[in-house]
Amino acid sequence: PLTDLAPIGLIAEAPLAIVAPVTSPFKTLKDVIALAKTKPKEVTFASPGNGTVAHLAGEMIQNIAGVKFQHIPYKGSSQALTDLLGGQVQIYAASVPSAMAQIKGGKLRPLAITATKRIAELPDAPTVAELGYPGFEATTWFGLLAPAKTPAPVIALLATHLQKALAAKEVQEKIAAEGAERMESTPGQFVAYLAKEEKKWAQVVRESGAKID
């Protein structure tokens, strides 16, 4: 992505919610970590697949907390949520929209949010950073990119129109409804953001040994 694509601008980012069934003994992420410290690999951690943000967010938590979960990768979020609700797995890092109905329905409990600040949709759910791991952040982000070697004037024009679109109230409302937060950047700032993200996630992959199918 750093060489094959020409960044235009960021659009939005969305945090994950680490959730457990309400029947679970886990009340917060601290409870999960406490058990994992005494019983390595006993906590089962579901993700929608190897290499997804949810998977790597779980790996980040294990790295910073010095614990080991048992990762259970699924082929998509639907089966992961089904098995979570059924008790086959214990925790799951879900996108906020995909888990919200089950949270509001009293079936899932949010243990922590992976953004750097709490979100309006789940104001009582603490961030991972608040629980003793400052600086922790694992979000899904969205941006607009063009093929490499797209002429600079075209990139600049597209960036201008993107910012106009992001300023529209209806666009902001749609982004918020998806559990995301609007982001704004110049093409140059997006380039820097991509480089930072690549460095961060590469380290997580190296330290965890994560592999894709």
Side-chain angles (χ1 to χ4, degrees):
L2 298 183
T3 56
D4 293 342
L5 298 170
I8 296 167
L10 286 159
I11 296 173
E13 69 174 348
L16 302 174
I18 300 169
V19 294
V22 293
T23 54
S24 165
F26 300 139
K27 306 299 182 187
T28 76
L29 183 62
K30 283 187 174 181
D31 296 334
V32 176
I33 292 171
L35 177 60
K37 282 184 180 292
T38 58
K39 297 181 178 180
K41 290 200 170 184
E42 182 162 312
V43 175
T44 49
F45 170 73
S47 83
N50 286 318
T52 59
V53 173
H55 170 207
L56 296 181
E59 296 293 347
M60 284 180 70
I61 291 170
Q62 292 175 80
N63 289 345
I64 62 172
V67 297
K68 285 291 182 184
F69 303 147
Q70 181 64 50
H71 176 225
I72 311 294
Y74 287 83
K75 292 183 178 179
S77 61
S78 302
Q79 189 60 50
L81 276 171
T82 298
D83 279 10
L84 179 71
L85 291 165
Q88 280 76 38
V89 289
Q90 292 170 286
I91 59 172
Y92 175 54
S95 68
V96 173
S98 69
M100 189 58 74
Q102 304 291 354
I103 292 172
K104 288 183 175 180
K107 294 182 178 180
L108 289 179
R109 176 186 296 129
L111 306 179
I113 298 298
T114 63
T116 55
K117 59 184 179 181
R118 296 193 184 198
I119 59 174
E121 294 87 346
L122 299 170
D124 296 328
T127 66
V128 176
E130 284 180 71
L131 298 174
Y133 305 101
F136 183 94
E137 181 181 23
T139 59
T140 299
W141 55 263
F142 305 87
L144 193 64
L145 303 100
K149 299 182 181 179
T150 298
V154 174
I155 296 293
L157 180 62
L158 289 170
T160 297
H161 283 291
L162 175 61
Q163 295 310 314
K164 288 181 179 178
L166 290 173
K169 182 180 178 182
E170 60 267 33
V171 173
Q172 294 177 23
E173 290 174 347
K174 179 63 176 175
I175 289 173
E178 293 295 325
E181 184 174 342
R182 180 184 58 153
M183 298 179 78
E184 294 184 47
S185 75
T186 64
Q189 289 169 335
F190 194 6
V191 169
Y193 183 86
L194 279 174
K196 183 185 73 171
E197 284 288 282
E198 183 183 59
K199 182 178 180 180
K200 178 177 79 174
W201 292 115
Q203 181 179 350
V204 174
V205 170
R206 283 195 301 269
E207 292 177 351
S208 67
K211 297 183 184 299
I212 60 172
D213 292 330

